[in-house]
Amino acid sequence: MFATVMGAALAVGPMVVQPALAEVPVDQLVRIVAEGGSSFTRTFNPFSPTTRWVSLRTIYEPLMIQNYATGKLDPWLGTEYKWSDDALTLTVTLRNDVKWSDGQPFSADDVAFTFNLMHDNPGLIGPAAGAFDQYLKSVEAVDPTTVKFTFNTAYTPGLFSLVDQFIVPQHVWKDVKDPVTFENPDPVGTGPFTTIDAFGTDRYQVTQNPNYWQPLKIQGVFVQGFNGNDQVSAAVLAGNIDWGGLVPDPDTTFVPLDPEHFGYWWPRTSVVQLQANTTDPNLGDVNVRKAISMALDRQRMINTGVWGKSVPANATGLPEAPFKDWLDAKVIADGQGWVTMDPDAANKLLDDSGYAKGADGIRVGKDGKPLKYDIIVPSGWNDWVSASQIVAENLKDVGIDVTLRTTTADSWTNSTFTGQFQLSLGTAQRTATPFEFYRNNMATTSVKPVGTASPNNQQRYGDPKVDELLAKFAASTDPAAQKAIIAELEGMFSAAAPAIPLYEQPDWGLYNTRRFTGFPNEKDPYAPLSLQMTNGPLLVWPHLERRPE
Amino acid sequence: MYYVLKRLAFYLLAAFVAITVNFFIPRLTPGDPASTIVATYSTSMNEESLRALKMAYGLTDEPLIQQYFTYLGNIFKGDFGRSLSQFPAPVLSVIGAGFGWSALLGLTAVALSFVIGSTLGALAAWRRGGFFDRVAPPVLLFLGSFPYFFLALLLFYLFCFKLGWFPMGNAYSSVNPPPFTLSGIGDVLFHLIMPAFTIVLVSLGPWTLNMRNSMIGVLSEDYLTLAEAKGLKPRRVLFDHAVRTALLPNITALGAAIGGVFSGQLLTEIVFTYPGLGYALMRAVSAVDYPLMQALFLIITLSVLAANFLVDTLYVLLDPRVRTGGEA
């Protein structure tokens, strides 16, 4: 009986996996942790929200890359951009030495085709999705190396979404019947690694594009799936991973194992904020929000949640490193009071605003109900869970009763997006300028009714004055004028506290230089080390080098 | 034969009910896949693109009953739709990738625990009150009562991470599947050892205990005394007469165990990063991936039913009482 079962099962196992090209030895590839799980399918449609990681980090490339480590817009497939004086036309010049991985030349026609493809198929997702609805009129190829974007209305922040859009080859995608459901198993791209030479259920490898436009010193990447964080940590600590992963407190658990080769770099590009739903009559009161903010022990959150690797947020809500040129020192100094822990001041502010304590020590709101709230956070997001615990403890001291409720990530997303929550944590998107931060936190245009899902403005705070300032910013191509507008918005944020900034969010990144060198780090911060969320990895590949044996 | 046909009709009806429940249950879980999509893609997504995506995903606002009939029709055509969490991959290719591995791991583990457990139980009963009988069942039950996740992680840490004797994950060494040669099979078996071993370790207890209890009942039957009186060798009495009868309850349990293979080894597949369907099921549920969830539930349900049907049929061969028309 046993033998028959084994035989049958063995025959089933390998048969269901497709045969592929010869594998490059794994030892020649950079081993990364970028995707979770062990049920990969061979789908490389970059327009799918659930596409394989490599689609957007090695196979396809954008015109330019916003470098969150340097704060600069690095040229990539495009070499430079130019606005017309009325800011209604954006012209991007392209490199002329780029070929697709199948040998066909890359040109402005491919760029125009990509945007028009997205226009004709609203189900395609990418950084520029929605551009045609909001500001973009048309995209045309002027000549093989020039693309012209024409706008309906002046909207200069659109630059970053447009140049961030990955470009697909016209000669392949024009024949695709339904680009939304196209699986694209053998992708053709301009990126460094485009050849899927081995693909398995739980890992795959992608090797060199023979026509890449830059010199490369490595052969490709090996993406391994893991079914849980413990498995990732074990692989990282065993030195089986070259780049990526997350281990708790790396200074004591990771680096000491091999100080010469193991390293990490956690630049801070975003801010964790406490969101209070302003449709609640009491949380809608700026004095309550500021008192909450003054009750919080930010340093303790940093020490327990991120092992001390961060700093408390400032009163503008913006992270310091990526936006240092935009920050107004005066706003930060003037607003320091409401983002610094001072429970006495918090109690006084609540007393003065008419929230007297009831018999049980819980303050009573304007609506006659006690200030009792739930704070929701996805279970397993340990840094956020511990920060939320501290929020609950701190607020008890000022007479606000907060209960921590952990949920699944999916139901948390659903509640926060639809505004059906009282307190929650959130982070801002990583963006090139503070424009999106203020639009997403304070503009009436980003406020959706409770019940309608939106990733932005979960707290539902809107001020028409912000809309005006943002419109002025969007119509301007003058950096000085834009800076003045942002300074004004920073002041309005500090005055109104639409969200309560907690601490700066580190971008997790680990590396192991036993086999490959050249990773960005604190001493050589040429690109972000994080594998997720940004196009940073494209900046890193040309710097990596196999260590001689 | 009539008995088998009757059972078949019963299982077909059960399958239909299961398919129906299978359609409605996931739709009662909270959460909206569209929100999850927005979350994974936090840049600007307007309503039109959201609507277009929903259409592509096959998420309609049609009345449930209408969706139900579409679903039934599609199942008979073998169309399970596209996975939402692995869009645009068809559900069948997500499942196809993991099915073989889950089956290999699950059936190996079940077969081993059945054979080893039943043997141990039979031996314990045969030498009732002996040293082995006093030690083995409690130890095995103790192991089985361990929280599996903890035990598996402990063994993973010790044998895969610390000592490095076994691989830390996957079903074979290279990315492409190994060839069907001796070394290829060896590689697959080598990766199978730890995941299968941990399952066997925690599941041996019930097999052993059930077999032991059933044996004790059988051993006091008259026909065994007769067999011994005829002068048969103890070995033959044990295996040809006692074990064959005492095995029946374990055969029943075998049906349930085979049926539970896909859902039961979720934790094993997580701890040992084994590329099976158990983990796919967990991801499908947490991502509210209806089509994938439904197809997986369907596999689970149908495998339970099929295994039970096989057991019923097997009974006809093993138990003369069923053959003569009575119920087991």
Side-chain angles (χ1 to χ4, degrees):
Chain A
M1 155 122 203
F2 173 52
T4 14
V5 169
M6 283 292 288
L10 272 177
V12 172
M15 244 172 21
V16 293
V17 187
Q18 288 177 350
L21 304 168
E23 292 178 34
V24 170
V26 170
D27 213 38
Q28 299 300 315
L29 306 173
V30 180
R31 297 169 294 195
I32 61 176
V33 183
E35 294 201 59
S38 62
S39 49
F40 296 158
T41 49
R42 193 170 172 139
T43 51
F44 298 97
N45 181 336
F47 297 107
S48 161
T50 53
T51 185
R52 295 263 75 82
W53 182 88
V54 294
S55 304
L56 302 176
R57 306 288 184 262
T58 76
I59 295 170
Y60 295 99
E61 295 183 306
L63 297 178
M64 294 190 177
I65 297 177
Q66 178 62 39
N67 187 333
Y68 290 94
T70 60
K72 295 207 168 60
L73 193 57
D74 289 355
W76 210 247
L77 292 179
T79 52
E80 57 185 69
Y81 68 87
K82 200 170 164 293
W83 284 104
S84 64
D85 290 339
D86 58 3
L88 286 173
T89 313
L90 171 69
T91 314
V92 179
T93 310
L94 307 177
R95 302 183 64 95
N96 60 6
D97 55 350
V98 176
K99 278 191 182 143
W100 293 100
S101 51
D102 62 0
Q104 302 260 353
F106 159 84
S107 83
D109 286 329
D110 295 306
V111 179
F113 171 80
T114 301
F115 282 92
N116 291 323
L117 187 74
M118 293 179 74
H119 179 245
D120 299 336
N121 299 276
L124 300 184
I125 300 304
F132 279 99
D133 305 286
Q134 292 167 36
Y135 51 83
L136 193 59
K137 192 163 140 196
S138 64
V139 184
E140 330 154 57
V142 178
D143 61 55
T145 58
T146 313
V147 186
K148 194 172 89 182
F149 296 90
T150 310
F151 285 56
N152 289 318
T153 52
Y155 187 76
T156 52
L159 165 75
F160 301 102
S161 306
L162 297 177
V163 298
D164 199 27
Q165 177 60 47
F166 47 82
I167 306 301
V168 298
Q170 178 174 18
H171 66 275
V172 174
W173 286 75
K174 70 178 163 46
D175 299 323
V176 171
K177 229 181 268 147
D178 180 3
V180 177
T181 55
F182 178 46
E183 290 177 62
N184 198 21
D186 296 297
V188 174
T190 59
F193 313 119
T194 51
T195 311
I196 316 295
D197 74 340
F199 195 92
T201 331
D202 48 1
R203 59 231 133 112
Y204 60 90
Q205 59 188 48
V206 184
T207 48
Q208 271 198 19
N209 166 1
N211 300 304
Y212 196 47
W213 52 276
Q214 293 188 74
L216 287 169
K217 290 172 236 151
I218 56 171
Q219 296 217 39
V221 293
F222 177 77
V223 183
Q224 180 152 20
F226 292 93
N227 282 350
N229 292 335
D230 296 320
Q231 285 66 34
V232 175
S233 298
V236 167
L237 296 176
N240 291 348
I241 301 298
D242 299 312
W243 184 8
L246 173 63
V247 294
D249 198 4
D251 279 333
T252 56
T253 58
F254 178 61
V255 177
L257 294 180
D258 186 353
E260 204 187 319
H261 300 111
F262 286 2
Y264 73 98
W265 183 39
W266 292 353
R268 300 184 297 264
T269 57
S270 177
V271 166
V272 179
Q273 55 193 31
L274 174 64
Q275 335 233 69
N277 192 334
T278 60
T279 60
D280 175 275
N282 303 311
L283 294 176
D285 181 345
V286 56
N287 288 333
V288 172
R289 294 198 299 273
K290 287 202 164 170
I292 288 177
S293 175
M294 289 189 278
L296 301 178
D297 189 346
R298 290 172 168 76
Q299 194 56 48
R300 216 179 118 212
M301 296 180 190
I302 293 166
N303 293 344
T304 51
V306 295
W307 310 286
K309 310 286 178 209
S310 183
V311 293
N314 65 58
T316 65
L318 298 172
E320 213 173 301
F323 294 138
K324 51 185 176 297
D325 297 339
W326 297 90
L327 290 176
D328 184 340
K330 188 166 180 314
V331 175
I332 294 177
D334 290 350
Q336 197 58 42
W338 75 274
V339 291
T340 306
M341 187 184 190
D342 187 349
D344 295 338
N347 271 314
K348 184 167 185 306
L349 181 57
L350 288 168
D351 289 337
D352 293 350
S353 314
Y355 296 91
K357 278 189 183 168
D360 54 356
I362 309 291
R363 291 177 187 276
V364 178
K366 295 269 164 69
D367 52 356
K369 288 185 192 142
L371 296 185
K372 278 192 171 180
Y373 298 112
D374 285 341
I375 183 167
I376 54 169
V377 62
S379 54
W381 296 21
N382 295 333
D383 47 343
W384 282 22
V385 171
S386 67
S388 302
Q389 260 158 359
I390 294 170
V391 168
E393 277 175 42
N394 290 156
L395 292 187
K396 210 146 274 171
D397 298 339
V398 297
I400 301 175
D401 186 12
V402 176
T403 309
L404 172 65
R405 298 212 187 278
T406 55
T407 69
T408 65
D410 181 71
S411 109
W412 173 80
T413 306
N414 200 38
S415 305
T416 52
F417 282 18
T418 54
Q420 284 153 339
F421 70 101
Q422 293 166 323
L423 294 171
S424 174
L425 296 189
T427 42
Q429 278 176 39
R430 284 149 186 82
T431 52
T433 72
F435 175 87
E436 284 85 359
F437 176 77
Y438 292 114
R439 184 189 60 194
N440 298 346
N441 273 307
M442 302 176 78
T444 63
T445 48
S446 64
V447 177
K448 290 270 159 59
V450 169
T452 304
S454 161
N456 302 321
N457 210 333
Q458 296 167 358
Q459 69 273 16
R460 267 91 182 145
Y461 177 92
D463 180 348
K465 180 86 198 306
V466 173
D467 300 356
E468 279 170 40
L469 286 169
L470 290 174
K472 265 207 267 176
F473 180 101
S476 167
T477 54
D478 173 15
Q482 289 187 327
K483 215 177 140 180
I485 294 169
I486 292 297
E488 202 174 332
L489 287 166
E490 289 172 8
M492 291 177 71
F493 182 90
S494 180
I500 298 159
L502 298 178
Y503 57 88
E504 298 194 356
Q505 169 76 53
D507 274 349
W508 319 116
L510 300 173
Y511 59 83
N512 163 1
T513 59
R514 282 183 193 166
R515 304 185 317 129
F516 293 94
T517 56
F519 294 102
N521 57 33
E522 210 160 353
K523 290 193 200 93
D524 186 15
Y526 66 86
L529 184 63
S530 164
L531 285 163
Q532 304 300 338
M533 292 171 293
T534 72
N535 287 325
L538 284 172
L539 297 166
V540 176
W541 304 126
H543 288 258
L544 297 186
E545 197 167 350
R546 181 90 164 91
R547 191 185 277 279
E549 277 163 76
Chain B
M1 208 60 232
Y2 171 70
Y3 170 74
V4 172
L5 284 177
K6 214 169 74 177
R7 299 309 291 164
L8 187 62
F10 168 77
Y11 283 118
L12 285 179
L13 179 72
F16 174 73
V17 173
I19 287 171
T20 304
V21 171
N22 188 18
F23 171 82
F24 288 101
I25 291 283
R27 286 174 170 70
L28 298 177
T29 58
D32 165 18
S35 303
T36 318
I37 297 158
V38 182
T40 48
Y41 214 87
S42 61
T43 50
S44 59
M45 274 251 309
N46 61 0
E47 272 153 47
E48 194 191 341
S49 37
L50 205 60
R51 205 166 41 242
L53 251 195
K54 275 184 162 180
M55 254 166 69
Y57 278 33
L59 303 170
T60 62
D61 295 326
E62 283 172 14
L64 262 190
I65 194 74
Q66 206 168 326
Q67 291 185 41
Y68 170 66
F69 283 112
T70 318
Y71 158 81
L72 276 188
N74 286 343
I75 281 187
F76 283 106
K77 280 184 276 174
D79 173 10
F80 292 89
R82 290 175 189 277
S83 159
L84 303 188
S85 60
Q86 301 240 26
F87 195 79
V91 164
L92 278 182
S93 72
V94 180
I95 290 181
F99 185 84
W101 298 115
S102 266
L104 173 66
L105 171 60
L107 295 179
T108 306
V110 168
L112 282 177
S113 5
F114 173 78
V115 172
I116 299 176
S118 303
T119 311
L120 292 181
L123 290 177
W126 191 247
R127 300 254 179 274
R128 194 174 167 195
F131 175 75
F132 182 72
D133 186 34
R134 275 178 289 140
V135 173
V139 167
L140 292 176
L141 280 183
F142 172 71
L143 281 176
S145 63
F146 250 86
Y148 176 77
F149 197 64
F150 177 74
L151 185 74
L153 267 181
L154 200 72
L155 295 173
F156 171 80
Y157 176 78
L158 196 66
F159 292 110
C160 304
F161 180 69
K162 259 291 177 291
L163 297 171
W165 291 353
F166 297 100
M168 295 211 297
N170 311 118
Y172 44 84
S173 304
S174 70
V175 179
N176 288 326
F180 203 72
T181 61
L182 217 55
S183 72
I185 293 173
D187 187 45
V188 168
L189 289 181
F190 182 52
H191 283 76
L192 190 65
I193 292 177
M194 279 309 285
F197 172 67
T198 54
I199 301 180
V200 170
L201 202 60
V202 295
S203 57
L204 268 185
W207 293 113
T208 307
L209 212 64
N210 286 346
M211 187 63 187
R212 178 181 174 276
N213 293 347
S214 157
M215 271 293 274
I216 289 172
V218 170
L219 285 177
S220 63
E221 300 257 351
D222 292 341
Y223 76 96
L224 280 190
T225 322
L226 175 70
E228 277 178 75
K230 278 198 299 189
L232 289 179
K233 283 188 184 131
R235 251 182 87 92
R236 270 199 72 186
V237 177
L238 171 64
F239 286 104
D240 288 3
H241 295 265
V243 168
R244 184 170 159 171
T245 314
L247 211 50
L248 289 176
N250 262 8
I251 297 270
T252 313
L254 189 63
I258 293 175
V261 153
F262 294 108
S263 52
Q265 57 196 34
L266 192 131
L267 292 175
T268 322
E269 292 182 6
I270 291 178
V271 172
F272 296 97
T273 309
Y274 206 78
L277 289 186
Y279 184 70
L281 176 66
M282 191 185 90
R283 280 183 74 189
V285 172
S286 60
V288 204
D289 188 344
Y290 293 147
L292 184 55
M293 239 192 286
Q294 272 168 350
L296 287 169
F297 285 147
L298 196 66
I299 289 184
I300 292 169
T301 322
L302 293 184
S303 52
V304 172
L305 293 175
N308 277 308
F309 178 67
L310 278 179
V311 166
D312 280 357
T313 314
L314 206 59
Y315 253 93
V316 179
L317 300 176
L318 286 177
D319 192 341
R321 286 167 294 180
V322 179
R323 247 175 312 193
T324 53
E327 296 277 332

